[in-house]
Amino acid sequence: EVRWRGAGEGLAGGLERQPGLAWPKLRRAYAAIELRLCDEAANDLDAVLKNPPEPTAAYVALVNRGVLNLNRRDFAKAIDDFRDAARRKTDFTAAHLNLAQTHLRQGDPIAPDKLLPVGTVHGGSFLGASEANATHSRRAALEALDFGVQNCPPNVRLFHERGRVRLTLGDFAGAQADLRSAVKLSTDTGSNSVIADDLIELGRLLARENQPAEAVRAFRTALVFRPDRA
């Protein structure tokens, strides 16, 4: 916390000298979000969005304001911000992922806070909602992820999240295809953050389809990455 406060104070000094600079305001807003200083973050993000110097700055401001609104549990505003960002930069992943997770959180109001500003987007929970609300939220999340997959370069997290959502909707064939894509992309890029979880889910799906040899292969490969899951 001390480190973040120091960063914010240093940026504040620079902004007093050059108040029109957008990127220092965005960095200060990020620090404020991490510190749960909601009003300070909102002021900087709104200021950037009034006169963004370039499309990327507007995108970052919208995504991070969406996170801020979600932290305030204002789902409607968060969804509006993420949708706006996703339309402006269709080939950037963060807005698509955050929009999907916001829909899931809206259908599951007791889910833990797992959305973060641009750069780190995490998975969500599907527990606690009524079945009707949960199904509606999952379908909305799937629509957001479909749009992301169609418009972004191949991305591990997009396939990982879409596979998980498809599982909850009972689309086992679609889930298996997405999990296979996520595993392949993880192997090709050396990104191992979700590969073990995807291999385990893939193994379960293969076992469900009475393909024991393929399922065992998936489980054994998962243990290479996560031996603690034995």
Side-chain angles (χ1 to χ4, degrees):
E1 182 171 325
V2 171
R3 177 172 62 86
W4 279 114
R5 287 193 182 280
E9 289 163 4
L11 288 169
L15 286 167
E16 288 175 2
R17 293 187 293 274
Q18 293 178 288
L21 294 177
W23 286 102
K25 287 181 180 178
L26 289 172
R27 288 192 288 270
R28 187 171 68 179
Y30 180 93
I33 291 171
E34 292 294 298
L35 291 169
R36 303 285 179 171
L37 301 175
C38 296
D39 291 340
E40 290 88 337
N43 289 338
D44 278 337
L45 295 171
D46 289 345
V48 171
L49 287 168
K50 284 180 181 177
N51 187 28
E54 45 145 336
T56 301
Y59 177 88
V60 171
L62 283 165
V63 170
N64 286 354
R65 192 173 70 178
V67 172
L68 184 62
N69 284 323
L70 189 61
N71 288 342
R72 291 169 160 172
R73 308 199 72 80
D74 192 334
F75 295 108
K77 287 184 178 179
I79 287 170
D80 285 345
D81 282 337
F82 292 139
R83 278 180 176 161
D84 192 357
R87 293 187 189 108
R88 291 179 186 230
K89 288 283 187 181
T90 58
D91 58 335
F92 284 21
T93 60
H96 304 302
L97 289 164
N98 277 341
L99 177 57
Q101 293 301 330
T102 302
H103 283 303
L104 295 171
R105 286 268 300 281
Q106 188 176 31
D108 180 8
I110 65 169
D113 291 339
K114 291 193 176 183
L115 287 213
L116 294 174
V118 168
T120 45
V121 185
H122 295 259
S125 167
F126 305 117
L127 302 175
S130 71
E131 191 57 35
N133 286 342
T135 299
H136 177 79
S137 296
R138 292 164 187 169
R139 286 175 178 164
L142 181 60
E143 183 179 348
L145 293 167
D146 283 344
F147 188 73
V149 169
Q150 291 163 10
N151 287 279
C152 295
N155 181 272
V156 171
R157 181 62 67 172
L158 284 170
F159 283 111
H160 167 83
E161 298 293 347
R162 193 172 71 170
R164 297 292 171 139
V165 173
R166 281 177 160 171
L167 275 174
T168 66
L169 289 169
D171 178 7
F172 301 120
Q176 184 178 151
D178 278 342
L179 293 172
R180 286 186 183 277
S181 294
V183 168
K184 185 179 186 305
L185 284 168
S186 294
T187 303
D188 291 347
T189 63
S191 172
N192 299 331
S193 60
V194 295
I195 190 169
D197 290 338
D198 287 340
L199 283 163
I200 290 169
E201 289 298 338
L202 185 58
R204 289 171 177 160
L205 287 169
L206 291 166
R208 176 189 178 89
E209 294 182 354
N210 198 27
Q211 299 183 50
E214 290 293 320
V216 168
R217 185 177 296 112
F219 292 137
R220 284 178 173 168
T221 306
L223 288 173
V224 172
F225 296 97
R226 289 287 304 274
D228 59 304
R229 299 295 293 272

